[in-house]
Amino acid sequence: MKFADITGQDTAIGLLRQMADGDRVPHALMLSGKPGIGKTMLARAFAQYLHCRHHIGQEPCGQCPDCLQHQSMNHPDLHFVYPVFKKDSGRQTLSADFIEEWKQFVADYPYMDVEKWPEALGADNKQPIIYKDESAEILRVASLSSYSSGKKIFLIWQPEKMNAEAANKLLKILEEPFQDTVFILVSNAPELVLPTVFSRCARINMRRPSDPEVESWLAGHGASSEETSRIARMAEGSIGKALGLLTAKGEEQEFGAIFRDMMRKAYSRDAASLKVLTENVASMKREKTKRYLAYSSRMIRENFIYNFGVPGLNRMNEEENQFSQRFAPFIHRGNVGRLEREFSRAETDVARNANAKIVLFDLSLKLMSLLRVAPVAQ
């Protein structure tokens, strides 16, 4: 991994290079920012830069033994920590138990699609977390000598997913760090990290890439000129989301078809058909159901914005746009807020393990009423 592979993060890259070149690398560093902007890619590039024996310019050389081991994610002094789920309540649960799933996930989703990680783990409806056993393992490994590079690096993805015991054990390590050890924490939600852990980290808050930067990245990855502007607007600064929209159009099309069908059935008050439809949606795995509800909430907002008559404000594909020509008038000031709240509430309930069939059918019944609310007089 090289710094040049990362879009829109020149400031953060410059700071990290200065730390490394000036031998001023803190023992604990946190990279934070919105999902999909390349935080983990930057953490990996920085770790490789620290281990590389022969820099070429301001990049790791990519050719020395350390670089080659980094590129295969097999460097003995780079240790990955990430949320997992317990396979067996009677035994330790460590990140290393899922290292092959992790390597495949990083290869498939370099911008770290958080929603896809439980599926990659095979966690079904379980929520991955970082357990206390992990911090004990970190302490054990940190107490050992480095193998080849003179510096052990722990890359901790989503430290906000640490349970209280794990976070408190990590805190003790950060309070009395080993001289040859560096921790790089990569967080989507730093406000959820244990405050005492957060306060012991040097912090770099990574910026959201601009739409032109995302467009440039898309153009370099095979997007047509018609796609770049639309996808960049929809991605909202997330390269990961842009990549998903570019390469995984199937799910977006699937969700669009379900949403349109649900809205038509709800408006016609076809409760029997809605029951069948919502049961089909509920049969998806929980994370996919959550993604559908998030997609639907976005479509409600997009249809409300469509009524303003300013095409540049919308972030929809052609099929969604055609549906909105007739559907948008039914989303207005009189119901848009309540519709968004109902979809958001349903997503939260599903995330908390509520019965998805009940949640979705209840949502559909509310849609039948809300879509027929009269517009508010101007």
Side-chain angles (χ1 to χ4, degrees), residues 199-255:
S199 66
R200 281 161 176 78
C201 297
R203 298 180 293 277
I204 296 179
N205 187 31
M206 292 170 60
R207 62 182 283 270
R208 168 200 188 278
S210 66
D211 284 359
E213 287 172 327
V214 177
E215 287 186 32
S216 177
W217 183 91
L218 286 164
H221 286 75
S224 67
S225 56
E226 294 79 13
E227 289 177 310
T228 54
S229 179
R230 177 183 66 82
I231 292 178
R233 291 199 307 272
M234 293 174 68
E236 299 176 316
S238 169
I239 300 290
K241 188 174 181 181
L243 177 61
L245 292 168
L246 182 63
T247 62
K249 299 174 185 177
E251 187 172 87
E252 181 184 342
Q253 292 172 347
E254 178 186 3
F255 288 167

Side-chain angles (χ1 to χ4, degrees), residues 317-331:
N317 61 37
E318 185 58 33
E319 201 167 12
E320 292 164 346
N321 192 69
Q322 289 178 2
F323 178 70
S324 294
Q325 293 174 14
R326 299 184 66 180
F327 178 67
F330 298 99
I331 310 299

Side-chain angles (χ1 to χ4, degrees), residues 163-216:
N163 65 19
E165 291 177 287
N168 282 308
K169 282 190 174 183
L170 178 65
L171 174 62
K172 292 179 181 179
I173 304 171
L174 296 182
E175 287 176 333
E176 300 177 6
F178 293 89
Q179 197 167 25
D180 64 345
T181 302
V182 174
F183 291 89
I184 307 175
L185 285 67
V186 179
S187 178
N188 295 324
E191 69 278 6
L192 299 181
V193 176
L194 185 72
T196 45
V197 170
F198 179 83
S199 66
R200 281 161 176 78
C201 297
R203 298 180 293 277
I204 296 179
N205 187 31
M206 292 170 60
R207 62 182 283 270
R208 168 200 188 278
S210 66
D211 284 359
E213 287 172 327
V214 177
E215 287 186 32
S216 177

